[in-house]
Amino acid sequence: MESKSMLYIGQDPINLQLVRYLLSKKFPHVTLIQACNSSEAMSRLEEDAPALVLVDIQLPITEEYTIPEKLKQPSEHESPPIWAVSGCVMDQDIVRAYRSGFDRYFTKPLHLLSFTHHLRRELDG
């Protein structure tokens, strides 16, 4: 199976640990790369060309909603899919995320079976 990478943007150590564990068990061919903010993510995107970007939206910080626009700016690389994972479950939060350019939106706590299914389609498809 082809080796790939996934970029995780976020600062919550528990969520990062969950994603790292999930990848190690279900997607051992996927390397997890971490960035704490959008500027760090931009450099990692250029350096590593990940197959997927996962943004952990933490309120009250709203900088995460600007990440898709920044990452999808014209560059020499095609922008990977950008997914959001958030504890915000209100319809307006989900609509805001999609309007901001996220390709998928998952709510916390993650339904691991569904999330793993979507990861498999994206990373192994």
Side-chain angles (χ1 to χ4, degrees):
M1 188 159 296
E2 179 186 345
S3 180
K4 296 183 179 182
S5 64
M6 181 173 97
L7 175 60
Y8 172 88
I9 305 170
Q11 297 182 21
D12 186 307
I14 293 172
N15 293 337
L16 175 61
Q17 186 176 8
L18 173 65
V19 171
R20 184 175 283 129
Y21 178 80
L22 179 64
L23 289 180
S24 73
K25 294 299 180 191
K26 301 290 184 181
F27 304 92
H29 63 287
V30 177
T31 301
L32 184 63
I33 304 160
Q34 182 189 5
C36 292
N37 54 48
S38 61
S39 59
E40 191 178 331
M42 289 297 291
S43 68
R44 296 310 303 247
L45 189 68
E46 291 298 319
E47 291 172 23
D48 300 302
L52 176 66
V53 176
L54 181 64
V55 181
D56 189 353
I57 297 177
Q58 298 288 319
L59 291 181
I61 302 169
T62 58
E63 186 242 351
E64 290 94 346
Y65 288 100
T66 66
I67 289 174
E69 180 181 348
K70 291 176 183 175
L71 296 186
K72 290 181 178 183
Q73 290 176 358
S75 76
E76 59 190 62
H77 302 290
E78 185 177 321
S79 176
I82 304 171
W83 294 2
V85 59
S86 175
C88 303
V89 298
M90 304 294 287
D91 287 343
Q92 66 263 24
D93 297 316
I94 297 168
V95 168
R96 178 182 181 195
Y98 281 116
R99 285 187 179 154
S100 297
F102 285 99
D103 298 301
R104 288 203 178 276
Y105 188 91
F106 298 92
T107 57
K108 296 177 196 172
L110 282 175
H111 183 270
L112 289 181
L113 191 59
S114 174
F115 186 67
T116 302
H117 169 77
H118 287 287
L119 278 175
R120 189 162 314 286
R121 289 183 70 199
E122 192 63 50
L123 297 172
D124 295 343

